[in-house]
Amino acid sequence: MGNIHTTGPNEALIVSGGCCGSTKKRTIVGGWAWAWWLVTDVQRLSLNVMTLNPMCENVETAQGVPLTVTGVAQCKIMKMMNVYYFHHQADELLGTASEQFLGKSVKEIKQTILQTLEGHLRAILGTLTVEEVYKDRDQFAALVREVAAPDVGRMGIEILSFTIKDVYDDVQYLASLGKAQTAVVKRDADAGVAEANRDAGIREAECEKSAMDVKYSTDTKIEDNTRMYKLQKANFDQEINTAKAESQLAYELQAAKIRQRIRNEEIQIEVVERRKQIEIESQEVQRKDKELTGTVKLPAEAEAFRLQTLAQAKQCQTIESARAEAERIRKIGSAEAHAIELVGKAEAERMRMKAHVYKQYGDAAIMNIVLESLPKIAAEVAAPLAKTEEIVLIGGNDNVTNDVTRLVAQLPPSINALTGVDLSKVLSKIPGAKA
């Protein structure tokens, strides 16, 4: 079977060989690849930056002066196209590098590149003077990089940077150049000092003259300025006193305004406190009202509702009782009316029959009725007298007789008024009776 091999972006995986004698080669960066056992070869190539320190010792310049030059180069295996090999693709560049360095260690790769850089550094150093190398190191480094880049590029290597680290010699040539330059600088410095001293003396005299002129002019100006100062000071004092008075008045006015403002704020605070007190009292009244409502009003309403309900029930009961009683009375009255009606009809029939009989017998029958009624009339008349324990008659014997006679004489009219029968006429019709 086979294995899966993975690699990161800083490493190239070169897979070669395969089944059926395949000669195809694949390059993978930051990915994975499948490799068959026994028939597929998998190798890795680092893409990390390599730091090199090329050094050329005692290399003669164009003037024959031996110099020792050290530099620092940053290189890496090319993965993408560059300006020197723009016609190559990434796979081709990695293929070139893999052909050159696959199977070698990083140390061996560095040594190969280092020898190439040192060779170009020696060649370029032999074409330049010491002054050109020492004064313009950046141009020297750029020239080395420009010359060496195509050669290392054909090996699939890219030079990221190249700088000159140090330049020195063993014959004191650079030191001599420094001494000559130092002597020139010292000579120019001494001449400059002398000229500076001369110019300084001239300038000092001129400055002293100018100083005296300036002093006299300054003293005059000082006196003028002193006089102007005193005048201005008097004016300023007057203005200051005026301003102080105005400021004092303004201060007092402002203090009065501030006190008034403070008093207004205090009044506002009192108003707010009073409003809050009113709100608190209002809330207390509402609380009392709610408390009374909860403790008195609601129970009273409940009791009133209970009593009203009981009264309505009692009223309904009374109404129904009254209706029942009325119905009972109505029925009793109806029964009694019916009975009275029957009794009245019987009485009427009896009276009718009596009237018929009285009609047949005439006055005799009426007289009989009257006589039968007299005892009853007498009883009714005497009923009040029955409750009388004693009757006292005031007067003589003649008066009592007269009173009795008058009482008996008033009896027939009373009977006539009560019964409609003239007792005198009836008695006159009785044989042997006198009216």
Side-chain angles (χ1 to χ4, degrees):
M1 296 297 288
N3 291 328
I4 294 176
H5 298 269
T6 59
T7 181
N10 63 332
E11 190 178 38
L13 192 67
I14 294 90
V15 181
S16 58
C19 296
C20 303
S22 175
T23 60
K24 183 178 179 181
K25 182 175 65 175
R26 291 180 298 160
T27 303
I28 297 96
V29 178
W32 63 276
W34 175 268
W36 297 96
W37 291 346
L38 304 178
V39 296
T40 303
D41 184 35
V42 179
Q43 292 178 299
R44 299 176 184 272
L45 189 63
S46 176
L47 302 179
N48 291 326
V49 175
M50 295 175 287
T51 302
L52 305 176
N53 295 302
M55 181 176 181
C56 298
E57 294 180 344
N58 297 322
V59 178
E60 293 183 357
T61 63
Q63 298 170 334
V65 179
L67 291 179
T68 299
V69 178
T70 60
V72 179
Q74 305 292 340
C75 303
K76 68 182 297 293
I77 295 175
M78 287 190 293
K79 184 176 67 173
M80 302 299 293
M81 295 182 292
N82 58 28
V83 295
Y84 302 106
Y85 293 95
F86 59 89
H87 58 281
H88 290 293
Q89 300 296 326
D91 291 342
E92 295 179 1
L93 296 173
L94 286 174
T96 301
S98 65
E99 290 176 0
Q100 303 290 331
F101 303 110
L102 202 60
K104 293 184 178 182
S105 64
V106 175
K107 183 177 180 180
E108 293 174 340
I109 297 172
K110 286 183 176 181
Q111 187 63 31
T112 302
I113 301 171
L114 183 61
Q115 290 177 359
T116 303
L117 291 176
E118 287 179 349
H120 286 289
L121 183 60
R122 287 176 180 272
I124 295 171
L125 189 60
T127 63
L128 300 175
T129 64
V130 178
E131 289 79 1
E132 290 175 343
V133 174
Y134 189 78
K135 292 180 180 180
D136 199 352
R137 295 187 182 188
D138 292 338
Q139 185 178 0
F140 175 43
L143 183 60
V144 173
R145 180 180 176 185
E146 182 179 356
V147 173
D151 289 342
V152 296
R154 279 188 287 271
M155 292 185 291
I157 302 299
E158 178 183 6
I159 299 176
L160 300 177
S161 67
F162 182 85
T163 58
I164 299 300
K165 184 178 181 182
D166 194 12
V167 178
Y168 59 92
D169 66 307
D170 296 333
V171 295
Q172 302 298 318
Y173 185 85
L174 294 174
S176 298
L177 289 176
K179 288 180 180 179
Q181 184 65 29
T182 302
V184 171
V185 171
K186 286 184 177 180
R187 182 196 64 193
D188 294 340
D190 292 338
V193 170
E195 291 178 357
N197 290 332
R198 181 197 64 191
D199 295 339
I202 296 171
R203 184 63 180 165
E204 183 178 357
E206 292 177 351
C207 290
E208 187 175 355
K209 178 180 179 297
S210 299
M212 293 303 293
D213 294 339
V214 170
K215 180 178 181 301
Y216 295 145
S217 177
T218 303
D219 291 340
T220 303
K221 290 181 179 180
I222 288 173
E223 293 298 328
D224 292 339
N225 290 333
T226 302
R227 181 176 57 82
M228 294 298 297
Y229 166 74
K230 291 180 179 179
L231 292 176
Q232 291 290 335
K233 185 175 182 299
N235 294 330
F236 290 158
D237 291 340
Q238 182 180 0
E239 293 178 359
I240 289 171
N241 294 331
T242 303
K244 284 183 178 179
E246 293 177 353
S247 176
Q248 183 66 26
L249 293 176
Y251 171 77
E252 294 178 358
L253 179 60
Q254 186 66 26
K257 290 181 179 180
I258 292 174
R259 287 194 296 271
Q260 182 65 30
R261 192 179 305 165
I262 293 172
R263 181 53 186 164
N264 292 334
E265 294 295 332
E266 292 176 351
I267 293 173
Q268 292 295 327
I269 292 172
E270 293 177 358
V271 170
V272 172
E273 290 178 352
R274 184 56 182 167
R275 288 178 180 174
K276 292 297 182 181
Q277 185 67 27
I278 292 172
E279 291 179 359
I280 293 172
E281 292 177 356
S282 176
Q283 292 177 359
E284 181 65 19
V285 170
Q286 293 179 359
R287 188 189 67 79
K288 292 282 187 180
D289 183 62
K290 290 182 179 180
E291 182 180 358
L292 292 175
T293 300
T295 57
V296 178
K297 184 178 180 180
L298 292 179
E301 290 180 352
E303 182 65 19
F305 179 76
R306 186 181 69 82
L307 295 176
Q308 183 180 2
T309 304
L310 293 176
Q312 290 178 354
K314 186 67 175 177
Q315 180 181 4
C316 293
Q317 181 181 1
T318 303
I319 291 172
E320 292 300 326
S321 299
R323 288 177 179 175
E325 183 66 21
E327 183 66 20
R328 183 181 68 82
I329 294 173
R330 186 185 64 79
K331 290 182 178 180
I332 292 174
S334 177
E336 289 180 354
H338 183 66
I340 292 171
E341 181 182 3
L342 294 178
V343 172
K345 288 181 179 180
E347 185 67 26
E349 182 64 23
R350 185 176 68 82
M351 293 298 292
R352 187 184 62 77
M353 293 178 66
K354 281 184 177 183
H356 180 68
V357 172
Y358 290 158
K359 187 177 181 180
Q360 289 179 356
Y361 289 101
D363 296 333
I366 294 172
M367 185 62 184
N368 184 31
I369 292 171
V370 171
L371 294 176
E372 290 178 357
S373 299
L374 286 176
K376 294 180 180 180
I377 293 172
E380 291 295 330
V381 172
L385 298 176
K387 296 179 181 181
T388 304
E389 295 179 359
E390 182 178 0
I391 297 175
V392 178
L393 296 177
I394 302 173
N397 295 329
D398 294 335
N399 291 331
V400 173
T401 302
N402 293 332
D403 291 334
V404 172
T405 302
R406 188 173 59 255
L407 180 59
V408 174
Q410 292 176 355
L411 185 60
S414 300
I415 293 173
N416 185 19
L418 293 172
T419 61
V421 178
D422 190 356
L423 185 58
S424 299
K425 292 182 177 180
V426 175
L427 291 175
S428 63
K429 292 180 180 180
I430 298 174
K434 291 183 178 179

